[in-house]
Amino acid sequence: MYFRPSSFLALAATFLGIIRLASAAGPFFTSITATQHVLGNDIWNITVGTRYGTRLYYKGRDLVGKAAGHYVSHSGGTSLDWTSGRIFAQNEQFLDVVFEGTLGDFHWVIYPDLAGAYQYFVNKALPTLGEFRTLFRLDNTTFVNGKTAVKEGPLPTLAEIATATNVQDETWQLASGAYITKYDWSSFLRNPSPSRSSPETFHGVYGPDFGSWIITPGKDEFNGNQLKQELLLHRESKTGDVVLLNMLHGTHFMASSNDQFAVGKTWGPWLWYLNDGSIPDASARASIESSSWPYKWFTTSPNYQPRGSLSGKLKLSDGRPASNAAIFLGDNNSNISTLDQGANNYYTTFTSPSGSFNIPHIRVGKYALSAWSNGSPIGDVSTVFLQNDISISQDTNTALGNLEWKTQERKCIFQIGEMDRKILGFMYGGAERQHGLSDECPSNMTFTIGKSRTEEWCYAQSSIGSWAINFSLPGHVGGNSSFVNSRNGTSTGAAVLSVSLAGYSSGVDSEILVNGVKVGGMLSKDIPNDPALYRSGTTAGEWHFFEFAVPGGLLRGGGVGNEVVFRVTKGSRWHGFMWDSVILEWA
C-alpha cells in the first residue's frame, strides 16, 4: 500500500491517518482532515479533496503526478465540489464511499482484490445541461497511448502540438500537412450496426507498465440512439495531461441535447480499472463485466434492479419483413429526436432477418418504440415506425406481437445510397476518423444513373459548385412523363425528391434544381448544426430528412435526359452536408 505526503508538514498532519492505513486490510476510507480523505485497498489508493482526486498510487507509482487528477464536471468544464466524504455502505463484499455535493453525490465502490473501483453518480440538483462527465487527468509520462473501439496507438505529444498550427478547436496541422486532433479519439457508445461485434464497452490510456480503463457494460443512462458518438480520451493541449473521459451525457457530435434530470437519477455503476497496460487483460475484464450486468450487488438506486423485457416482430406494409432495422426504446410521447433524447434511460438493438427483436434488462416504466431503416434489405424505406405507451413491468416480457410499419408506398425512379442514417457506401464513407477528409470531395461532379457507382458519390459536399444527377425515363413516352399509381389507378407526372442527410455542419447553403427549375433548398439558417464533419466524423452526425415536391410535367420521358442538381451557393471548408441517401419517386 502506498501513501506519500508531499512535505514534512503534510506528514505531520497525516500521521494518524498513516497509522490507520498501515493496519488496513482490504477496502478502506480514512479522513486526514475535514476536506482530505484517502480511500482504496491493498492494491491502490487515492487522495480526494474538495474537488480533485490526486496522489493515485498503484504498484508504487503516483499515476497522477503533476496532472489535475480525478474530478466531475458539467457544461463545458464547471467542476463539482464535495462538501463531505464518508462511508455510505459497507458489507463483507465491498466498501461504498460517497463524496457529497450540492449538485449530487459521487460514489466509489471498492472491493478488496480489485485494481480499481466501481463508480456511480446520483443527481440532486444538476442544472439543465448538455455535457456531464467524469474524468481522470493522468501523468503524461506514464500514459502515452490510447485505445478506443476504432483507434489504438500513441497519443500526439505536447511537442507536436506546440510546433503545429492550430486550425480550429483542438485541431492542428503539422508541417507535413497532416492533421492531429483530439476528436480522432472518439467512438460510438452503442453498436452503430449489427455487423459490429460489440459496442464500446471499454476504452483507456496505457503505457508500457500501466493502464487506466473505463468499462461501461450498461448503456441505460447514456443519451442518444445507436449513432451516439463521443470523445473518449485525448491529450490536454495546454498542460500535456492525458485525459480519460467518461461522458455520461455529451454533445460533442450533436446539434443539441439539453436535458433536465429527476432527483435521484443515477448514472452507473461503471468500472474504473487499473492494470499493467495490457489491452487483452482490459478486454477480458470488460467481458466479465458485460456478463455480470446488470450488477446484482447494486441496490442503492431503487429503479436499477426492477427490470423487464420487450419483444416483437416488424413487417412492412408492402409485405416484406423489416430486416436489419434499427430499434430504439426511448422517451414516451416525445417530440425530441431519438439522438437528442437524454433525460431518462434508453435501449437499442436491431431486428433479425425475419423482423423480430428482443430487448432484455429494461428498467420498468413507459416507453416509445422507434424503428428505421439500417440499410439493406430495406434500405429503400424512408418512413419511421413509432409506437408510444409501451409499458415495461418487473420480471415480465412485454410481447408486442406483429407490428405493421407503413412505408412511403411510392415507386422509385432512382436511389443513390441506402437509407441507414450513415454515409457508408459513399466515397470515404466509414474511413478511419480523420480531420479534413472532406477536402478530397469535388466541388463539381456528375453522377449518371445506371453508369456511375454509389462509391463515386462523395460522402460530403462543402464547396461552391454543382453535383448533378443525370437520368432518363426510357419507359415513359412523350415530352412530359407520367406514372400510373397502382394504389388508386390515377396518372401523375408529379414526383417526390427525398434527401436524407447523415449529418450537417453549418455554413453551407444549397439550392436544388430539377431540369433547371428550383424545387427547394437546404439552408444553414434552417438546419441545426452538428460538428461531426469538422470533428473527424466519417460515419454519421445528426440525421436530417427532407422531401421536395417535383411538379407534374417537369420530368421528361421518351429517353430524353433529366437532371437533378445540388448547387452549393455558399461554401465553408470542413462544413456542409454528409450524405445518407437521395431518392426520386413518383408521387
Side-chain angles (χ1 to χ4, degrees):
M1 181 178 311
Y2 304 93
F3 173 69
R4 297 181 180 175
S6 59
S7 68
F8 177 80
L9 292 177
L11 179 62
T14 58
F15 179 74
L16 180 59
I18 291 177
I19 293 176
R20 294 175 65 183
L21 287 175
S23 61
F28 66 85
F29 170 81
T30 186
S31 295
I32 305 306
T33 69
T35 59
Q36 286 283 105
H37 315 275
V38 183
L39 61 151
N41 58 23
D42 293 338
I43 302 170
W44 65 274
N45 64 70
I46 190 170
T47 300
V48 179
T50 57
R51 178 176 295 180
Y52 297 106
T54 59
R55 301 176 198 158
L56 170 57
Y57 285 100
Y58 175 63
K59 294 185 177 180
R61 183 158 180 168
D62 180 1
L63 303 186
V64 170
K66 296 179 181 180
H70 178 269
Y71 60 100
V72 181
S73 71
H74 71 89
S75 305
T78 303
S79 298
L80 276 65
D81 290 326
W82 313 122
T83 56
S84 65
R86 63 183 177 88
I87 294 176
F88 178 79
Q90 187 172 14
N91 57 36
E92 294 181 353
Q93 288 184 296
F94 59 78
L95 177 70
D96 185 337
V97 175
V98 61
F99 289 91
E100 298 167 309
T102 57
L103 300 184
D105 298 339
F106 190 85
H107 293 252
W108 304 67
V109 178
I110 308 166
Y111 278 74
D113 56 353
L114 179 60
Y118 295 95
Q119 299 175 326
Y120 64 98
F121 181 89
V122 181
N123 177 51
K124 287 180 180 174
L126 283 172
T128 300
L129 55 78
E131 180 180 279
F132 180 51
R133 62 186 186 170
T134 73
L135 63 156
F136 281 91
R137 287 173 58 164
L138 299 167
D139 176 59
N140 59 23
T141 63
T142 303
F143 301 96
V144 294
N145 305 302
K147 168 73 172 72
T148 71
V150 296
K151 186 176 177 65
E152 175 187 330
L155 294 164
T157 66
L158 194 57
E160 285 178 313
I161 294 172
T163 57
T165 302
N166 181 252
V167 295
Q168 67 170 38
D169 76 299
E170 295 299 312
T171 304
W172 297 266
Q173 187 170 26
L174 301 172
S176 65
Y179 296 100
I180 52 175
T181 175
K182 73 177 185 179
Y183 299 109
D184 287 350
W185 298 97
S186 304
S187 185
F188 293 95
L189 299 184
R190 297 181 171 93
N191 263 358
S193 68
S195 60
R196 185 161 142 181
S197 59
S198 65
E200 179 74 58
T201 54
F202 79 100
H203 63 278
V205 293
Y206 63 98
D209 301 305
F210 299 92
S212 181
W213 311 90
I214 298 293
I215 299 175
T216 54
K219 310 294 183 183
D220 296 30
E221 60 276 355
F222 289 145
N223 58 317
N225 59 24
Q226 285 93 329
L227 297 181
K228 176 67 173 68
Q229 54 192 315
E230 262 307 332
L231 177 65
L232 300 178
L233 58 97
H234 64 96
R235 183 181 299 283
E236 215 290 321
S237 59
K238 293 182 175 63
T239 65
D241 293 359
V242 171
V243 182
L244 176 59
L245 288 162
N246 186 19
M247 297 297 303
L248 302 176
H249 190 286
T251 59
H252 280 102
F253 297 90
M254 301 167 64
S256 66
S257 183
N258 291 305
D259 291 297
Q260 188 173 6
F261 308 105
V263 174
K265 176 178 170 66
T266 301
W267 284 270
W270 61 88
L271 176 62
W272 162 64
Y273 181 62
L274 292 169
N275 71 2
D276 61 359
S278 167
I279 293 174
D281 174 72
S283 179
R285 186 72 208 196
S287 296
I288 292 172
E289 299 305 319
S290 295
S291 65
S292 303
W293 186 86
Y295 296 125
K296 290 182 172 54
W297 56 264
F298 184 62
T299 57
T300 301
S301 173
N303 69 347
Y304 181 84
Q305 293 294 352
R307 295 174 185 258
S309 59
L310 179 70
S311 62
K313 189 174 185 178
L314 275 166
K315 186 177 182 180
L316 302 180
S317 58
D318 61 14
R320 291 179 292 166
S323 304
N324 188 40
I327 299 290
F328 176 81
L329 195 66
D331 294 343
N332 195 37
N333 294 306
S334 175
N335 60 359
I336 302 173
S337 76
T338 56
L339 183 64
D340 291 341
Q341 292 177 28
N344 301 298
N345 300 298
Y346 306 97
Y347 305 87
T348 64
T349 190
F350 297 90
T351 59
S352 71
S354 67
S356 62
F357 62 90
N358 178 69
I359 306 176
H361 307 311
I362 306 168
R363 301 192 197 197
V364 298
K366 275 200 171 182
Y367 296 87
L369 178 72
S370 299
W372 57 88
S373 168
N374 185 53
S376 180
I378 61 167
D380 59 315
V381 177
S382 61
T383 58
V384 174
F385 176 87
L386 175 65
Q387 181 170 322
N388 286 295
D389 300 317
I390 295 173
S391 296
I392 301 297
S393 302
Q394 185 172 0
D395 301 326
T396 301
N397 178 61
T398 299
L400 299 179
N402 295 318
L403 305 168
E404 185 180 70
W405 175 353
K406 186 175 176 61
T407 71
Q408 67 268 33
E409 298 182 348
R410 296 192 290 254
K411 182 175 177 60
C412 183
I413 299 172
F414 71 75
Q415 179 174 0
I416 305 173
E418 295 182 340
M419 291 285 303
D420 61 2
R421 303 191 179 186
K422 299 185 283 287
I423 61 177
L424 304 182
F426 296 129
M427 187 184 300
Y428 305 117
E432 181 181 354
R433 299 187 73 99
Q434 54 190 291
H435 179 74
L437 188 59
S438 57
D439 286 344
E440 302 301 318
C441 292
S443 299
N444 298 284
M445 179 179 69
T446 299
F447 188 98
T448 302
I449 299 299
K451 294 182 179 180
S452 301
R453 294 169 289 114
T454 301
E455 55 266 32
E456 294 177 51
W457 186 275
C458 209
Y459 83 107
Q461 186 179 12
S462 300
S463 305
I464 292 176
S466 296
W467 288 17
I469 304 170
N470 292 338
F471 64 100
S472 60
L473 301 168
H476 298 261
V477 297
N480 296 324
S481 186
S482 63
F483 161 71
V484 177
N485 192 319
S486 60
R487 286 174 293 164
N488 52 32
T490 60
S491 178
T492 176
V496 176
L497 179 65
S498 299
V499 178
S500 181
L501 299 179
Y504 174 76
S505 297
S506 64
V508 177
D509 290 345
S510 173
E511 61 180 14
I512 303 170
L513 303 98
V514 176
N515 290 333
V517 177
K518 183 176 178 179
V519 298
M522 297 182 291
L523 305 178
S524 183
K525 67 181 183 64
D526 299 326
I527 311 175
N529 168 67
D530 79 70
L533 188 54
Y534 60 84
R535 286 183 172 174
S536 300
T538 56
T539 298
E542 184 145 354
W543 179 66
H544 305 280
F545 182 74
F546 306 92
E547 289 186 337
F548 302 100
V550 179
L554 199 54
L555 296 180
R556 301 185 289 258
V560 179
N562 293 274
E563 186 177 64
V564 173
V565 175
F566 295 93
R567 179 181 296 162
V568 171
T569 57
K570 184 175 77 171
S572 180
R573 191 182 187 192
W574 308 327
H575 290 238
F577 308 100
M578 297 176 71
W579 296 99
D580 172 26
S581 186
V582 178
I583 310 176
L584 183 64
E585 299 166 304
W586 293 111

